[in-house]
């Protein structure tokens, strides 16, 4: 039986007159091992209920608790800007977007915790692919997803000090000044480097109404351009962020 998302993807394909080649799930499961930073409330089932009802069918239901900002999640602008949009206020038209990818895996292997998205990477992408399109969400791959099951390696911890890569301030300003982007995402817990003290990138993007996708699952190869993103956060009223379902839809290029 087709699911809601299968039907949605078929409709999208028809509207855009392309045949879907592949759908890639870019989100991690939420479970007891989901990565959270600091002392945020970790995902847990607070109550489970399941039984065979007298009428002869199985019924099951759970209750869960979790912080907004953990696992694969969505940062609304309000997270770092008091006048910014909250999760439920983000226009749905900005959640169905063009996708672009910058892969810094090799450079990140060389530079480690000092790896940053820099202006040169954005300029190099455009030199190869042409200008970024309006209404794009930029994904940046540092190659961190392979460490997901090891919290210490994923966060690059020294005791509890975080050291993972992120965006440079200059790159964030370039993204904002271009006016081309609805949001950005990456395969670390934060768009700011782990050792930030001022969260400049978060603040700048939030003030300019860009949303942020964090802990994106980037294990499969994606093209640098030409794919669509379905950004589907839990619609939490007044939410500063939310757990996220994120899909890349790749067209058939044959």
């Amino acid at each position: 039986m087709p699911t809601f998302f299968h039907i949605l993807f078929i409709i999208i394909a028809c509207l855009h007159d392309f045949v879907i080649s592949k759908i890639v799930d870019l989100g991690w499961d939420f479970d007891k091992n989901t990565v959270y930073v600091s002392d945020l409330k970790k995902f847990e089932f607070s109550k489970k209920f399941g039984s065979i009802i007298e009428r002869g069918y199985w019924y099951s239901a759970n209750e869960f608790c979790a912080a907004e900002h953990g696992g694969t999640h969505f940062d609304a602008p309000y997270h770092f800007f008091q006048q910014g949009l909250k999760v439920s206020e983000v226009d749905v038209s900005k959640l169905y977007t063009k996708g672009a990818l910058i892969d810094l895996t090799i450079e990140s292997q060389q530079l480690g915790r000092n790896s940053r998205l820099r202006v040169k990477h954005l300029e190099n992408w455009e030199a190869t692919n042409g200008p970024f399109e309006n209404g794009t969400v930029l994904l940046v791959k540092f190659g961190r997803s392979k460490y997901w099951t090891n919290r210490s390696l994923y966060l690059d911890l020294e005791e509890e000090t975080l050291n993972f890569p992120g965006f440079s301030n200059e790159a964030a300003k370039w993204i904002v000044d271009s006016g081309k982007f609805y949001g950005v995402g990456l395969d670390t817990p934060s768009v700011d480097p782990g050792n930030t003290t001022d969260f400049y990138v978060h603040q700048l993007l939030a003030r300019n109404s860009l949303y942020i996708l964090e802990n994106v699952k980037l294990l499969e190869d994606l093209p640098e351009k030409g794919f669509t993103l379905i950004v589907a956060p839990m619609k939490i009223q007044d939410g500063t962020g939310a757990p996220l379902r994120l899909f890349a839809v790749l067209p058939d290029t044959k």
Side-chain angles (χ1 to χ4, degrees):
M1 182 176 181
T3 67
F4 167 78
F5 285 110
H6 286 127
I7 296 170
L8 177 62
F9 294 141
I10 291 169
I11 293 171
I12 290 166
C14 293
L15 289 174
H16 284 261
D17 195 28
F18 65 70
V19 178
I20 292 173
S21 170
K22 189 176 184 179
I23 300 168
V24 182
D25 188 344
L26 301 180
W28 295 104
D29 292 347
F30 281 83
D31 59 26
K32 64 181 181 180
N33 299 312
T34 295
V35 173
Y36 291 81
V37 297
S38 66
D39 58 351
L40 294 176
K41 174 67 176 177
K42 294 178 173 57
F43 179 92
E44 67 171 352
F45 285 119
S46 54
K47 184 177 180 181
K48 288 188 174 185
F49 175 79
S51 65
I52 298 177
I53 309 301
E54 291 181 0
R55 294 183 180 180
Y57 56 83
W58 171 259
Y59 173 81
S60 181
N62 301 319
E63 296 176 6
F64 70 88
C65 297
E68 295 171 321
H69 299 275
T72 305
H73 68 277
F74 180 97
D75 283 5
Y78 183 73
H79 185 36
F80 270 86
F81 181 51
Q82 190 172 6
Q83 287 74 46
L85 295 174
K86 298 172 184 176
V87 175
S88 63
E89 297 170 335
V90 175
D91 194 310
V92 69
S93 66
K94 294 188 175 183
L95 302 178
Y96 169 57
T97 78
K98 302 176 181 69
L101 176 78
I102 294 179
D103 190 342
L104 300 181
T105 301
I106 294 175
E107 184 172 312
S108 184
Q109 289 172 347
Q110 297 168 346
L111 298 178
R113 62 182 57 173
N114 296 315
S115 182
R116 301 286 184 271
L117 175 71
R118 302 195 183 278
V119 171
K120 67 177 182 180
H121 300 125
L122 297 159
E123 293 175 340
N124 289 343
W125 190 99
E126 288 201 319
T128 301
N129 299 286
F132 287 102
E133 296 183 77
N134 290 326
T136 291
V137 167
L138 174 65
L139 301 180
V140 179
K141 182 178 182 178
F142 288 102
R144 304 296 300 175
S145 291
K146 65 183 178 182
Y147 299 126
W148 177 252
T149 57
N150 186 318
R151 182 177 183 272
S152 181
L153 288 177
Y154 185 71
L155 301 178
D156 197 354
L157 290 175
E158 286 184 0
E159 296 182 350
E160 281 300 306
T161 300
L162 309 172
N163 295 289
F164 51 79
F167 287 22
S168 70
N169 295 352
E170 296 76 15
K173 187 174 186 306
W174 190 100
I175 288 168
V176 166
D177 290 346
S178 76
K180 299 289 186 70
F181 300 91
Y182 289 157
V184 300
L186 74 172
D187 57 349
T188 79
S190 172
V191 74
D192 282 282
N195 59 6
T196 187
T197 57
D198 60 8
F199 293 93
Y200 174 89
V201 178
H202 268 95
Q203 292 189 63
L204 180 65
L205 298 181
R207 286 199 306 270
N208 288 277
S209 299
L210 274 72
Y211 58 73
I212 301 168
L213 316 176
E214 294 171 330
N215 293 323
V216 177
K217 181 182 178 182
L218 292 174
L219 288 175
E220 296 192 44
D221 291 332
L222 295 176
E224 291 187 331
K225 63 181 293 187
F227 60 95
T228 299
L229 287 175
I230 307 294
V231 182
M234 182 186 293
K235 193 176 180 181
I236 302 175
Q237 186 174 351
D238 296 331
T240 72
L244 174 68
R245 291 304 307 267
L246 179 64
F247 304 92
V249 183
L250 282 60
D252 191 341
T253 56
K254 294 180 181 178

